[in-house]
């Protein structure tokens, strides 16, 4: 293996984290922390691709950091920091702005969704967003990127950028001592488990998201136990009993979603959940799911609120993480600058 295995991932500090972020990404982050060198970022530069109130942004950065820690990421073991403190991200993103092609970015479905009908009014940053994401990963030459299913296309772009950079600068890369001409790895998406795409609790055809107007559509990592139970109780379902096999979930998006959530929270598979609950009505399944959510998420919400009482300590964690992140990224950026032909 030429590249040392290294994990990188991040979340935007725009509003509070929800069950989709937790099951789709964070549970895997926590797992990988046991076996890998991990770098987990609060991507504040990405957040400002859409206007953010400065004071709310500052609070959101702290709250996402508190959620990372409360959910089980250990700031001693993993590197936790906010993106804007490490200038390598913005520097490499600029270089990638000059490597990636307009046509590639034009195909990004998330830009199309976020920009909406009036694309002319979207920020340039929103368009170039995936180049910054590629820079996040490649500034550390990270090899594994645990994310939810919605980030798949962005990761394919990161792979394309890595490949094009390696190709565009092949001679300089070889001259710098990388004989196989590969300076950047092809980062692997890690999109695994029963909940890679958690859907809205109100509409099984829409992704659970921070931007959905109805708060009943999602469970936030800071919701108290009563609210969690209420949201599960009100979750949309269909009138049928649960099937005994996973095939029976097809065409039943709400049932599929709730079974996936149950499986992810218990670290099992949908088939295991159906082995227990197949043939039972939602009136029996929902209370069990609510209890499980409360058991797993209640302590996280409590810990977030405890940590938020000491913002100076959170800021200290971020500064420490940024120092450690910089120590990895700096020598890589030095090499990138040499390869591109800059003088330093
Ligand atoms: P963001 O902030 O939208 O989401 C953070 C993580 O949560 C996952 N996720 C979901 N997973 C399952 N079901 C859902 N409903 C759901 N909603 C969100 C996302 O897939 C993501 O893993 N562009 C990224 C942040 C980013 C990044 C990076 C990620 C910036 N640089 C480098 C990896 C590597 C984003 O907006 O995620």
């Amino acid at each position: 293996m030429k590249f040392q295995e290294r994990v990188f991932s991040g979340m935007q500090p725009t509003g509070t984290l929800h069950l989709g972020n937790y099951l789709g990404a964070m549970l895997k982050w926590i797992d990988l922390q046991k076996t890998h060198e991990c770098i987990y970022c609060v991507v504040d530069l990405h957040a400002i691709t859409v206007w953010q109130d400065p004071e709310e942004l500052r609070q959101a950065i702290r709250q996402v950091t508190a959620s990372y820690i409360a959910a089980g990421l250990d700031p001693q073991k993993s590197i936790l920091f906010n993106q804007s403190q490490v200038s390598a991200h913005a520097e490499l993103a600029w270089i990638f702005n000059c490597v990636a092609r307009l046509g590639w970015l034009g195909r990004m479905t998330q830009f199309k969704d976020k920009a909406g009908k009036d694309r002319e009014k979207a920020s340039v940053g929103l368009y170039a967003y995936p180049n910054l994401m590629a820079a996040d990963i490649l500034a550390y030459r990270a090899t594994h990127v645990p994310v939810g299913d919605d980030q798949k296309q962005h990761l394919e772009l990161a792979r394309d950028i890595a490949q094009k950079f390696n190709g565009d600068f092949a001679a300089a890369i070889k001259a710098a001592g990388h004989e196989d001409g590969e300076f950047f790895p092809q980062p692997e998406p890690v999109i695994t488990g029963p909940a890679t795409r958690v859907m809205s609790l109100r509409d099984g055809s829409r992704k659970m998201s921070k931007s959905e107007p109805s708060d009943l559509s999602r469970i936030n990592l800071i919701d108290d136990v009563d609210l969690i139970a209420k949201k599960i109780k009100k979750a949309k379902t269909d009138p049928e009993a649960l099937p005994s096999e996973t095939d029976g979930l097809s065409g039943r998006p709400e049932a599929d979603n709730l079974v996936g959530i149950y499986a992810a929270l218990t670290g099992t598979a949908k088939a295991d959940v159906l082995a227990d609950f197949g043939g039972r009505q939602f009136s029996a399944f929902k209370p069990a799911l609510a209890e499980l959510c409360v058991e797993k998420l209640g302590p996280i919400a409590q810990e977030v609120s405890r940590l938020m009482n000491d913002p100076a300590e959170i800021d200290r964690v971020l500064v420490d993480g940024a120092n450690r992140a910089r120590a990895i990224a700096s020598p890589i950026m030095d090499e990138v600058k040499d390869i591109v032909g800059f003088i330093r």
Side-chain angles (χ1 to χ4, degrees):
M1 167 61 81
K2 179 186 164 192
F3 293 101
Q4 181 192 332
E5 290 205 349
R6 184 175 281 151
V7 173
F8 184 97
S9 199
M11 299 203 184
Q12 295 199 59
T14 47
T16 38
L17 300 184
H18 53 69
L19 189 62
N21 301 127
Y22 180 66
L23 300 181
M26 225 191 284
L27 279 183
K28 280 173 282 186
W29 298 12
I30 296 165
D31 248 10
L32 284 162
Q33 156 181 265
K34 295 178 196 138
T35 51
H36 284 71
E37 177 186 17
C38 297
I39 307 172
Y40 297 128
C41 188
V42 181
V43 294
D44 48 10
L45 297 175
H46 277 109
I48 63 161
T49 55
V50 175
W51 192 82
Q52 304 295 327
D53 175 82
E55 202 39 55
E56 282 174 21
L57 177 61
R58 222 178 328 269
Q59 281 310 316
I61 294 167
R62 292 191 181 115
Q63 201 188 69
V64 171
T65 311
S67 304
Y68 283 3
I69 299 169
L73 295 175
D74 176 352
Q76 307 287 325
K77 225 184 215 169
S78 299
I79 296 180
L80 309 184
F81 75 109
N82 60 313
Q83 193 182 24
S84 60
Q85 288 204 52
V86 180
S87 59
H89 295 254
E91 289 180 18
L92 189 58
W94 179 260
I95 294 172
F96 287 170
N97 284 344
C98 305
V99 172
R101 304 290 95 181
L102 274 181
W104 299 0
L105 293 171
R107 286 195 283 278
M108 294 294 115
T109 54
Q110 221 163 66
F111 173 75
K112 291 181 199 166
D113 291 348
K114 283 202 179 169
K117 288 203 181 76
D118 200 356
R119 278 201 215 176
E120 298 291 307
K121 293 241 167 76
S123 74
V124 175
L126 191 67
Y127 195 69
Y129 178 113
N131 295 345
L132 176 59
M133 184 163 157
D136 296 339
I137 300 163
L138 295 170
Y140 304 91
R141 293 163 114 190
T143 53
H144 291 80
V145 186
V147 284
D149 177 72
D150 60 346
Q151 297 301 315
K152 201 169 176 179
Q153 197 186 27
H154 287 159
L155 279 172
E156 280 161 12
L157 189 92
R159 292 166 67 90
D160 289 344
I161 290 177
Q163 195 176 13
K164 186 160 190 300
F165 181 94
N166 288 345
D168 286 357
F169 295 100
I173 289 170
K174 283 189 188 144
H178 302 276
E179 274 153 30
D180 58 3
E182 239 193 312
F183 183 73
F184 286 124
Q186 293 270 294
E188 290 278 339
V190 182
I191 304 177
T192 50
T196 56
R197 191 176 183 82
V198 178
M199 307 310 275
S200 155
L201 297 178
R202 306 299 292 163
D203 176 354
S205 67
R206 296 168 68 87
K207 195 178 68 170
M208 184 177 283
S209 115
K210 291 170 193 158
S211 52
E212 183 71 31
S214 166
D215 192 55
L216 285 175
S217 69
R218 66 187 156 259
I219 293 177
N220 302 302
L221 288 193
I222 55 165
D223 287 348
D224 64 36
V225 295
D226 293 338
L227 192 53
I228 295 173
K230 176 178 155 195
K231 286 177 175 177
I232 296 287
K233 196 169 169 199
K234 287 192 173 281
K236 187 176 168 205
T237 49
D238 58 39
E240 307 291 317
L242 283 169
S244 305
E245 314 250 331
T246 49
D247 286 355
L249 291 171
S250 70
R252 298 179 64 187
E254 284 86 11
D256 190 22
N257 191 39
L258 295 184
V259 170
I261 292 172
Y262 195 102
L265 283 173
T266 46
T268 58
K270 287 180 195 174
D272 300 314
V273 178
L274 294 180
D276 287 344
F277 287 97
R280 314 263 306 265
Q281 297 291 336
F282 281 104
S283 54
F285 180 63
K286 274 186 167 182
L289 179 60
E291 199 181 316
L292 179 64
C293 286
V294 163
E295 180 198 319
K296 299 282 181 183
L297 305 179
I300 299 180
Q302 271 184 3
E303 184 62 4
V304 170
S305 96
R306 193 188 68 78
L307 291 166
M308 287 297 281
N309 283 330
D310 191 354
E313 174 58 18
I314 297 178
D315 295 359
R316 200 199 55 71
V317 167
L318 291 172
V319 167
D320 174 62
N323 287 336
R324 286 152 63 202
R326 217 176 284 118
I328 300 173
S330 290
I332 296 174
M333 282 310 294
D334 283 349
E335 270 203 275
V336 169
K337 288 177 186 171
D338 291 345
I339 287 167
V340 171
F342 296 157
I343 291 171
R344 58 181 178 90

